[in-house]
Structure formats: structure tokens, C-alpha cells
Amino acid sequence: MASRTFSRTSLGLLKSSSSALQPRASQSAAAVVNKRLEQDLESIKQAGTWKTEKVITTAQNVSVNVTGSKGPILNFCANNYLGLSSHPEVIQAAIDALKTHGAGMSSVRFICGTQDIHKDLEDKISKFHGREDSILYPSCFDANAGLFEQICGPEDAILSDELNHASIIDGIRLCKAKKYRYKHKDMADLEQMLADSQDKRSRLIVTDGVFSMDGNVCPLPEIKALAEKYDAMIFIDECHATGFFGKTGRGTEEFYGMEGSVDIINSTLGKALGGAAGGYTTGSKELISLLRQRSRPYSFSNSLPPPVVASASKVFDMLFESTSLVEKINSNTNRFREAMTGAGFTIAGEDHAISPVMLLDEKLNAQFASLMLEEGIFVIGLSFPVVAKGKARIRVQISAAHSEEEIDRTVAAFVKVGRQLGVVN
């Protein structure tokens, strides 16, 4: 057999040639991917679903400045339901915590990322909802991502409303339970699925408390009756209810007068409760203890920054002390809905601060939102695929911080643009 020998020179040339090929191959692969991404981006534009971010140059409030605007515009598209994102007391609480507890924890909770203020906030959440214990997350998206795979396995069943939030859908995908999707608020469909899943170890009904695109409320009394009949637990996501929905802001349970009827509640600190960031799960001590041990978003994400914790904690203090902000948002919501309905508009939802103005046609919807901005009113038009085809709407979100004059001015702008576009007489 002939021996194979290589000189140092030839080996060096081979190594050099191989190294030279690697960057070109890598660059070629990247170019192919970027080309595909360009095509995807173009398809989004062609479909008319391209999202453009308007840049706000002021603090979040009911009146904001936006890059390119001639002056302040009224904001009716934020989740700032109680108007507390820029409240002086909330800001001061964040500043104080920044000074006493620092900017951040540089750690996950179970290593060295738990401060006294984290535990204090979790206690306030539990007290607010009347639950045994609570656990904080960086967002409610994380709370939803970290829950289902820890409590439901292949032996269990999850029954989810078809219009549940994307974070719920993604969280359910992570678990190995048998998955059912019932038609939106269709209790006959849910009952059939509950009956079909009786061979499973447990059943968990999963629903938004309030559905953010429509402002409608889950039929909790009927869900509770079915849960008792078919031995199921109930989970609700309260992101668009906590702090402002119900008589004292306790959410969907309170709206129906059914406090304590839900087994697990997930919600957010990033909307009504100061608007900064953060989410949580509240429920039994056993559930929360398990999540602290196994929930991946909790175990592998940095703790909430102290200023965020303090601002949310301050909001809970305000809600414990007074219901005036809840009363104000309810009053503003009724004023807007009644005036708009009286003017001839169709408003979706059920007495909720999310008040979608149904225009149905996608092109009309986009034009309407643009003309509203010219009138100094900041609202967003939602069309397919965010909502179903033929269900385009302007989603108006009312805040406790809006004055009656601002509500009336916005209604007047809707009427003006509506007449201009032939929507109302």
C-alpha cells in the first residue's frame, strides 16, 4: 500500500483553503435567509398588515406628543386604564425604590434576586384577589408560558376558548395535555368537549376574563356550572380586567358577583397597575410553591427591577384605599358608549373600557383611523389577521384619567369623520 505523505506547506494550503471557504459559505447561507425574509416582509406589506410604530416623545398619558404631530393628541389606544402610568405618586414610589433597592437584581429569584419588596408585592396581589399565594414574572406572557406544562401532562385535558390571547395559546402548546379548542363563548361546544374528556385525569377550562379585541366578557357563571358538573378546574387571564373591571376592580369574578370561583388567575402589572411591566399567577399555596420550583420563565429570568415592583405596589395601595378611579373609568366608559351608540355607531363588547367601534370594512377602517389622527385623536384600526375578515374595527380604550370634555371631544371627532366617510348620518 502506498504511503501518503503531506508536506507542511501542502497541509497549510489545505487548511487555508478550508478556512477561506467557511466565511463564503456562511455569507451565502445568510444571504439566502435574508432574501427569504425580504419576501416575507413584502408579503406582509402587500397584505396590508404592516405595523408601523408611532414614536411618542412624552410620558405615557391621556395626552401625548407623537413624532410628526403638530401638538399634543388625545390618546385613546393605551392600556393605561386607571391613568396611573405617569401618576406622581407612582413615579415617586419608583424613584424611592431606585434609591433604596437599586436599578435591578442581576439575578434570578432563587439565587439572589428576591428582595423584601418582591415578597411584599406578592402578598398584596394575594390579598387583592383573595388567594393563598402569588408569584411574580417578568410579564404575563411569561406567566402563561410557565404555567400549563407544570400542572397538565399527557393524562390531563385542557379546554381553551378559540379567541384566547396568543400567550395562552403558546403556553398550552408547551404542555403535553390533550388539547381541545371550543368555539368562542359557546357553552354547548365546551360541554361536549368536557364530556368527551371524562377519561382524563383532570380537566382545565382556560379562558380570557375579558377578550381584548372585542371587549366582551367570558360567561363565567355558565363555565362554573359546567366545571362543577364535569369536575373541571377554571383558569382565567385577567390582563384586561385587573384593577378596573368590577365594582372595586377585582375583575371578572367581581363583575359577576362570583368572587373566589376561579381556581387560577394570571394577570399583568403592565396595564392598569402602573403600566410598567410584570405579570403574576395567583392561586393555591401548593400551585405557587410548585411554580417556584419548576416554572421555567420564573427560574431562568431576572427578577423584576425594584422600581417596577415599587410602582405596582403603590398602585395596589391606592386601590386598597379608594375605588374612585374604578368609578371614574366606569363613568367614562358609559358616557362614551352611550354617546357613540346614540350617534349611530355600533360598539362591541359588554360595558367594558375596551369599546370597539365596528366598521367591518378593512380599507374604510384604515382611512377612518388616519382621519381621526388628523383630528387630534390617537386610535388604532384593527383588521385581518388581528381580527377576522369583515370584522375590522377602531379599538377605543377608555381611561379613568380622561376628562368628560375629552370623551365628548373624541365622540365629536368620530361623528365628524363618520359623516365624512358615510358611516353615520
Side-chain angles (χ1 to χ4, degrees):
M1 180 182 293
S3 62
R4 297 181 180 179
T5 60
F6 296 92
S7 68
R8 290 183 179 179
T9 303
S10 61
L11 285 171
L13 287 172
L14 285 171
K15 184 177 181 181
S16 175
S17 175
S18 175
S19 299
L21 286 172
Q22 288 176 1
R24 281 201 293 270
S26 178
Q27 289 167 9
S28 176
V32 171
V33 170
N34 285 335
K35 182 67 176 178
R36 188 177 76 239
L37 297 181
E38 287 180 3
Q39 294 170 351
D40 289 343
L41 292 170
E42 185 59 31
S43 68
I44 294 173
K45 293 177 182 177
Q46 292 300 321
T49 56
W50 184 269
K51 293 182 284 292
T52 301
E53 298 178 0
K54 293 180 173 62
V55 179
I56 296 175
T57 59
T58 59
Q60 181 66 277
N61 214 323
V62 294
S63 179
V64 296
N65 286 341
V66 176
T67 299
S69 65
K70 298 177 182 178
I73 58 176
L74 286 180
N75 188 354
F76 276 84
C77 58
N79 297 317
N80 188 20
Y81 294 114
L82 295 178
L84 297 177
S85 296
S86 300
H87 192 282
E89 292 183 36
V90 176
I91 292 173
Q92 189 59 52
I95 292 172
D96 292 343
L98 182 66
K99 293 177 179 178
T100 60
H101 288 70
M105 294 308 300
S106 304
S107 174
V108 298
R109 286 285 297 270
F110 77 91
I111 297 179
C112 59
T114 298
Q115 293 175 316
D116 54 345
I117 57 175
H118 291 92
K119 300 303 292 183
D120 182 53
L121 176 55
E122 287 171 338
D123 288 343
K124 289 179 181 179
I125 291 169
S126 300
K127 178 182 176 182
F128 186 80
H129 287 285
R131 262 56 182 190
E132 293 179 351
D133 204 357
S134 301
I135 180 173
L136 290 170
Y137 287 90
S139 70
C140 191
F141 204 113
D142 286 315
N144 286 338
L147 174 68
F148 302 108
E149 68 173 331
Q150 302 307 331
I151 63 173
C152 293
E155 310 90 345
D156 306 300
I158 291 181
L159 307 98
S160 177
D161 189 292
E162 65 179 350
L163 293 189
N164 278 338
H165 191 267
S167 62
I168 297 175
I169 295 169
D170 285 359
I172 291 173
R173 283 173 178 165
L174 293 172
C175 79
K176 296 180 180 179
K178 172 69 175 176
K179 302 171 181 68
Y180 296 84
R181 187 175 69 167
Y182 63 90
K183 296 175 184 177
H184 181 49
K185 297 178 63 175
D186 188 328
M187 295 298 97
D189 198 30
L190 173 58
E191 181 166 17
Q192 182 60 58
M193 293 176 181
L194 284 166
D196 292 344
S197 62
Q198 284 301 293
D199 61 331
K200 293 299 180 180
R201 179 178 64 178
S202 69
R203 286 147 297 283
L204 178 64
I205 302 170
V206 176
T207 181
D208 275 315
V210 176
F211 294 85
S212 62
M213 294 297 106
D214 299 286
N216 61 2
V217 189
C218 76
L220 186 57
E222 291 84 356
I223 290 174
K224 181 64 174 178
L226 289 175
E228 291 179 346
K229 180 178 179 180
Y230 291 96
D231 192 24
M233 295 174 62
I234 303 173
F235 162 96
I236 58 174
D237 181 309
E238 288 283 75
C239 285
H240 290 278
T242 300
F244 68 97
F245 192 55
K247 187 176 180 180
T248 67
R250 263 63 174 183
T252 305
E253 288 182 317
E254 186 178 57
F255 175 75
Y256 284 113
M258 297 176 61
E259 290 87 339
S261 62
V262 171
D263 298 287
I264 307 169
I265 294 174
N266 278 10
S267 196
T268 182
L269 306 174
K271 293 181 172 60
L273 304 179
Y280 59 84
T281 297
T282 187
S284 69
K285 284 186 177 297
E286 294 83 359
L287 169 66
I288 302 307
S289 293
L290 179 68
L291 293 177
R292 291 195 195 281
Q293 297 302 315
R294 291 184 177 175
S295 181
R296 293 167 70 85
Y298 179 81
S299 296
F300 298 103
S301 297
N302 265 16
S303 302
L304 277 178
V308 172
V309 174
S311 61
S313 188
K314 181 61 181 179
V315 173
F316 276 110
D317 290 341
M318 297 169 72
L319 290 173
F320 286 134
E321 292 170 4
S322 172
T323 60
S324 60
L325 290 175
V326 180
E327 293 165 5
K328 185 63 163 59
I329 191 173
N330 288 335
S331 173
N332 283 348
T333 297
N334 291 336
R335 188 180 188 90
F336 177 81
R337 284 178 168 271
E338 289 175 5
M340 288 290 286
T341 302
F345 290 97
T346 299
I347 310 299
E350 302 164 28
D351 299 326
H352 192 274
I354 297 174
S355 303
V357 182
M358 303 302 293
L359 298 176
L360 308 183
D361 181 81
E362 277 77 9
K363 185 176 180 180
L364 171 65
N365 199 55
Q367 187 179 9
F368 203 112
S370 295
L371 290 174
M372 286 294 288
L373 190 58
E374 292 180 10
E375 294 296 319
I377 310 297
F378 191 8
V379 290
I380 296 295
L382 300 176
S383 301
F384 181 82
V386 177
V387 296
K389 284 186 177 180
K391 296 292 184 179
R393 79 283 305 269
I394 304 291
R395 186 176 69 169
V396 177
Q397 290 172 277
I398 307 299
S399 172
H402 287 127
S403 67
E404 291 185 351
E405 185 276 329
E406 289 167 338
I407 297 289
D408 295 345
R409 175 183 158 192
T410 300
V411 172
F414 265 105
V415 171
K416 178 181 178 180
V417 174
R419 288 172 176 167
Q420 182 178 340
L421 297 179
V423 176
V424 295
N425 298 321

